[in-house]
Every structure is written in C-alpha cells, then in structure tokens.
Amino acid sequence: MEEFMHRALQLGGEALQAQEVPVGCVFVVDNKIIAESRNRVNETRNPTRHAEINCIDLVIEYCKSKNLRHDYFQNITVYVTVEPCIMCAAALNNVGVKEVIYGCANDRFGGKTVCDVSKIYSNNYSLSGNLLADEAMALLKLFYKGTNPLAPDPKCKKILKE
Amino acid sequence: MALDSAEPEPKRMKTSNKIEEKLDEYLKNMKSATWNLTPIVEEDLYKPIPVVQASVGIIRDPKDISKTILTLNDKVPMKELQHLKRAQKKEIVICPLSYLNGAKIEEYLENNVKELKEVFEEFKVCDVPSRPPQVRKQFEESNKVWPCNFHPNKYNEKLVSGSFYNEQELKTHRQYMEMVFEVTKFYMKGLTATNIDSDKILRNLNTCVVVDPSIQSVVAVCFDNRLKHPVQHSAMLAIDNVAKTQNGGSWVADREKHETIDSTLRGIDEELCCHLKEKFPQVKFGAKKFKSKRDMSEEELQGNDIGPYLCTGYYIYLLNEPCVMCSMGLVHARAKRVFFCFNNSEFGALKSKVKLQTITALNHHFEAFTGFL
C-alpha cells in the first residue's frame, strides 16, 4: 500500500516543481498501477484538472483502446496524497471506483471534511485516509509558502504595497 | 395484415412524440412567464429566528441601569448573543441560561460579578433571539421577543424581496436560457419518446451556456457527453472550453465534430454555432481577448488588465440543476452566477441535495437562481 502512496507523493512533488498545487494520484488494479497523474490546473488553465480527474481520463482512454466497458472502474483502488475535493469525490462516485485511500485531509475543499459527498450517493466506494499524511501535508505547506503565479493580484495586496 | 383485424386498433395512450416538441412546450411557457427568478439562498434568511433561554434580572433602581450594563459587558460579554440589546426597560439580560451550568443565577453572580449582587430585585428566564436578524422582517419579529441590534443589508433584502431582477435583466436571462433549450433541441433532433420517457431523458443530460455579462457575449456552449465519458457533463465541458479561450484546455472533441476555429469561442460545433447565430441574431458570441501574465512581457502588460481568469465574472446557464461534481467544478472555476431550469432531485447540489453556494468554509461562492418555469 505504502509503495503506491510513495509513487503518488512523487507525482505530487512533480506538481510542486511545475508550480501546481502538489497533489498526486495513482489508480491501481490487481496491485498494478494502471494510471497516474498529478494536478495540472495552471498548465491547462482549467481548475478542474485535478490529479484524480486526469487519471479518470487516462482510464477512459484505456477502456476505449482495450474495448472495455466503464464498469472496469469497479476494480480500481485510488491512492491520492490529499483527500479528494468535493468535485473529485463526486466524480469518483460517478465512475464507480472500488476504494479511495488518501494521505492528509483537505480542510478547504474535502469531499468528506467540508461536505460529506457520500451522503448524497447511494453506492459509495470505501474511503480511508491518513496514509503517509505528514509527507502529503509537507508538500502542501511548501506550496502555500509561495503564491499562485496565475492568479490576478488581489486588491488588498496592492494596498499593502503602498 | 389489415385483413386480420376488421377494426383498426384504438390509438394507444402511450404515443411517442418528438422530444423537440416537448422542449418547445417548455420554451413557450418560459417565454410567457411573468414572474421573477428565485435566488437560492440559505433557508435561514426566510425562517423566523429561533429563540434561546436567557437569565434576566430586574433592576431595583433605574439609576443603576447604565452602570450595570457596562459591568456586564465587561465581565459577562455573551459572545454568541452580541446582537441583543442588553436592557429592555428595567429588565437586563445577564447571560444565556447555558452559562449557569445548572447553578442558580444568584450563585452565578456571586461567583462572577459580585458587585452586581444587590442591584436586581428579582430574576426570571426569558426567550431571546439566538441569532442576529439578517433581514428587516426577521428584525421586526425578533424585536417582539427581545430588542435587537440590526444592520440592514441591501443585498439580503433584495434576495428575499421576490423582485431580484428588473424586467430588462429578466429578459436577458430568459434569452440565454432559451439558448440552452435551443442547443438541447439541436442535439435531440429527430428523437422520439413517450412523454414520461422524454422527461427522463432530459433530466439525465445537461446543456450549458456560459456568458460574460461584462460584454454581454456567449463564451461557451456545451452539450452533454456523459454516456461516452462519465465526467464530461456539460458544465465540465464548458469549463474546459472556457480554458481553451484562455490558451488552455485539455479535452479534445470527437473527431467527427467540426469545431469552430474561432479562438474566442472554442469547442462549439460549427453547425450548431451557425444555427444559434441565425436563431439569436441579437446575441454576441466570443470571449474577451485573453491577456495573461504568462504570455505577455512586462511592457505589454503595462496598463493592461490581465484576464479573463477562469470563469471569474461569468454567468452559467444550465438546463438542469448541476450535480455535485459540476457544482464544485463551477466553484473552482469561480463562476459568478449559476442559473438552471429544472431541479435535479437525485444529485442536485445547488438546491435539492445540498447548497454548495452556502457552505461558508469554501473559498468562493457564486449566486444561484432558478424559477424559469
């Protein structure tokens, strides 16, 4: 289990290098990684391109190429460094993965912590957290020390400068 | 075959109709609507303010009132009941009953504010409003329970007034919603279903039109692709198409589709685009020219506002209430307002199951409106 989370953390590190919110994710079937990705929000200028969504895209491509139906998602265990946000929690429900294991909790957008998405869907994946949480949190802290390079300057910041 | 039955079978009730006709019916009703749109806000704005019990003392000598209030504000500040006026004639709120922990009020004073032990001639328990009133109606009702402070908020009053938009604005919003229906019709062309089934079909897809109200122009138009790709609901596609107008984006449309090459309106099918322009000759299409810190030099940026940034300031028009995934996607995209026509009782996240726009913990909040039909 830890080896998959280590790989996800590595991908999160790549995100940090690319000045993205450092979240990484791997999709695992039968102890094999079948898709892996990281946050690509700034790169694509699309705020929904979280690591999980990117992995879902890869699996859909994979299914298409192998002529598999989308119920293939039922075999997937997701390892993600940070608790999936409300959007990703719902997306993982839409595709119907088997299990989600995350590193640290997500106090800002968490699909369990901020708004419990599992209460809305009837067939839920099993969700557990706290696997290598400190490492995941350390990555986030590194990022939030810096600032988002693409965001417009907030007005209050300008006033402070003067 | 005709010889087998002497009489033709009576027409079955379950006749199939074109889904387009069903949509036309809705369109007709929407065009003749005379009512305002409904802002979807937290229930608290409409409901009477609940009460909580508080311990109240009756002052012996009215001369002591101001001194007592000052002392109490200092020693028993009542953080959660700051909206209350401390005194009502000779009656003074000492504290919420919960502060006493079952003790008598006399004991509480003895332990916490000894100097006020003698100023009250008797004590009682009163109901007081538990939260600050947010709108005038609540203020007036709350005042009958106990006098409150009230800071009128024009926006809140507008939300509950039932007349949020003026005639001209309503016309504009209905026009963009008509476009949502027109796009849906375009993709439902030729499909037939029974009345019940066509409603089912229409509830299990979504159509999205994105507008930049600052230039009154359509910047994205998307129809659902969830059957082929479970994440490609129309709002998610729209967010990506908006990204494409900002030199980003990640989904490549089906090859058989002929996308426009217009960089200010990406991802829209050429044929649909022509159809909409013909159907809505008064509507403008295309996003503002995109300027970014990443793509421009310091000099080029001088005096130029950067943007647009994601869906900041944009209005999103949807056929159905967006699901949890799409709603949160729109939060991430920083949309300004979301309009929808039909409730999504199963997965709707702006009204039916939760109201994401009212979750204060989130970093962005758009406004949501419905009530087109």
Side-chain angles (χ1 to χ4, degrees), chain A residues 17 23 28 36 49 57 73 87 114 143 146:
Chain A
Q17 289 279 311
V23 181
V28 174
E36 55 177 43
R49 299 314 300 184
D57 265 9
F73 277 99
M87 173 188 73
V114 175
F143 178 81

Side-chain angles (χ1 to χ4, degrees), chain B residues 16 23 26 46 59 67 84 139 141 144 157 176 187 190-191 218 234 236 242-243 265 288 337 340-341:
Chain B
S16 284
L23 287 162
Y26 286 130
Y46 292 99
I59 285 271
K67 185 193 79 188
L84 297 184
F139 172 56
E141 292 302 312
K144 292 179 195 157
E157 296 301 332
Y176 291 127
Y187 287 103
L191 283 178
V218 173
S234 64
M236 297 293 277
V242 167
L265 189 71
K288 261 187 210 164
R337 287 182 175 160
F340 64 86
C341 199

Side-chain angles (χ1 to χ4, degrees), chain B residues 212-224:
Chain B
D212 180 349
S214 71
I215 52 166
Q216 292 199 34
S217 181
V218 173
V219 299
V221 176
C222 293
F223 185 69
D224 226 77

Side-chain angles (χ1 to χ4, degrees), chain B residues 54-58 60 72 76 92 94-97 99-125:
Chain B
S55 196
V56 169
I58 294 146
R60 214 182 288 280
L72 279 173
V76 191
I92 305 219
I94 300 170
C95 65
L97 218 50
Y99 283 19
L100 303 185
N101 273 330
K104 279 196 170 154
I105 182 66
E106 290 87 346
E107 290 170 50
Y108 182 81
L109 285 175
E110 172 77 41
N111 293 334
N112 294 281
V113 233
K114 240 187 191 143
E115 59 269 49
L116 294 183
K117 239 173 66 186
E118 300 303 328
V119 303
F120 299 108
E121 69 183 354
E122 58 177 309
F123 301 98
K124 60 178 184 175
V125 172

Side-chain angles (χ1 to χ4, degrees), chain B residues 281-293:
Chain B
Q282 70 284 22
V283 173
K284 264 206 319 186
F285 288 85
K288 261 187 210 164
K289 193 172 160 13
F290 174 66
K291 302 186 194 93
S292 153
K293 284 193 229 175

Side-chain angles (χ1 to χ4, degrees), chain B residues 171-182:
Chain B
K171 237 179 105 183
T172 313
H173 295 313
R174 290 205 183 99
Q175 172 186 265
Y176 291 127
M177 190 53 86
E178 277 170 36
M179 189 178 289
V180 167
F181 275 85
E182 207 52 56

